[in-house]
Amino acid sequence: MAQSAIRYAQRTRYIQDAQLGTVIQSLFKIVDQNTTELSTESEWLFKAISEWWSDFENMPPGLKDVELDKWLTVASRKELFKGLLSEAYKQCDENLKGEIYKIIEILQD
């Protein structure tokens, strides 16, 4: 099964492509649930998820990489994203927890 990379600050974790799609969907669900709390300053998050989904659908297996450095350019974005990941972790199926944790882990200072 093909794996793609999740990269941030010169760190990389790998996730199976099939699981990556489910993780992206989970993040979208959390963002959608919190739309009223997210400010207009969080538009970047919708753009990021849209780009990740587009890459997931259009890139060949093993090349569906998620480059977080492009989006997490300031501490406030990183903290918001970590909070959304934590919420996704709480709400996801047990088999997805390890995959979401990989992303949380890569963001640790």
Side-chain angles (χ1 to χ4, degrees), residues 5-21:
I6 299 171
R7 293 188 183 92
Y8 180 71
Q10 299 180 359
R11 290 176 284 211
T12 304
R13 298 292 181 274
Y14 293 93
I15 183 171
Q16 289 184 359
D17 284 354
Q19 295 289 62
L20 178 60

Side-chain angles (χ1 to χ4, degrees), residues 17 23 88 100:
D17 284 354
V23 168
I100 291 176

